[in-house]
Amino acid sequence: MTVSLYRVLSEKGEGGKPVAVFPNADGDLQARAAEAGAPLSVFVHSASVSEVSLRVFTPVKEKGSSDSAALAALTHLRADLLDVAEIGMGGETWPAQLCGGEWLLRQGVPQVRPVEADLSPTGLSAEPCWISSLGRPNLVVEVDDLAALDAFTPDAEAISTLGQTTGTTGLILFTAGGPGRADLSFRAFGPLRGFLEDAASSNMLACAVGVLGASNRLPAETNLLRAAQRMPGQPARLSVQFGTVDGGTEVWVGGGAVPLA
């Protein structure tokens, strides 16, 4: 079985997401993914210099699409690709571009509006809140500092109730700054989507960046940000490119993928 293992979006080699990359999509893909033993397996169905078609699996089912899987596959195929490409996954197409040696995928333009919410059942106080959506609405909450972000203990029932009350399916906590000169630190929760906390979420980071854009808090001197995702025990480092467009802030998210021995 030909397979290459990558650690995607890791923080100095720690955390992130392990991904198995297969150079072809032959045979029983689910069996091959289960045998690989990685949380995610991506199969290259077809590839040209500017178009790549992928299929993504967990050990037990086909996932459809995954930014982490796409980043691993793009890194694996780098020598055969232009600096821009179209990625097909799960019936969708994702524009990708190489920026500073890292692949970024276009997330889109988050739709953002401020909202009031009772956060007390989750243990949070009255913090600024927004609903930010890229197809799936998230409640985005700004906390005071990195200590408050790291101290938060998620309760699946409380977060689910908050989501049902606000009409959102995900909760994002963020604060300015972070380790390693990060511009933004965040955590992402989604019990209504089937997970308590995500270790590396491009979509949810894009929603947080959309909030900064809507609040006129993005830097004027650059169009790039570094973000630290702070899931306990599984840190991740993501890169963001942003730009002002009609309707809001267009966001691209990606990062590094490192081959594993």
Side-chain angles (χ1 to χ4, degrees), residues 152-208:
F152 179 74
T153 301
D155 179 275
E157 183 176 354
I159 294 172
S160 296
T161 300
L162 178 62
Q164 292 162 351
T165 301
T166 57
T168 58
T169 60
L171 172 65
I172 303 165
L173 307 184
F174 81 93
T175 192
R181 293 192 285 185
D183 301 292
L184 173 73
S185 295
F186 75 109
R187 295 174 68 184
F189 309 93
L192 291 175
R193 299 180 190 168
F195 62 89
L196 178 58
E197 182 167 1
D198 198 345
S201 176
S202 299
N203 178 278
M204 296 176 89
L205 172 56
C207 286

Side-chain angles (χ1 to χ4, degrees), residues 6-72:
Y6 288 82
R7 185 173 297 278
V8 182
L9 303 176
S10 67
E11 172 65 54
K12 296 181 180 178
E14 300 295 328
K17 290 185 178 179
V19 179
V21 179
F22 293 83
N24 61 64
D26 301 331
D28 186 337
L29 304 188
Q30 186 62 74
R32 294 173 70 186
E35 185 178 351
L40 286 175
S41 291
V42 56
F43 297 85
V44 180
H45 185 265
S46 63
S48 68
V49 295
S50 60
E51 295 182 355
V52 179
S53 177
L54 305 173
R55 292 184 67 181
V56 183
F57 287 77
T58 73
V60 297
K61 66 178 181 180
E62 186 163 6
K63 184 174 174 60
S65 64
S66 163
D67 285 10
S68 295
L71 294 174

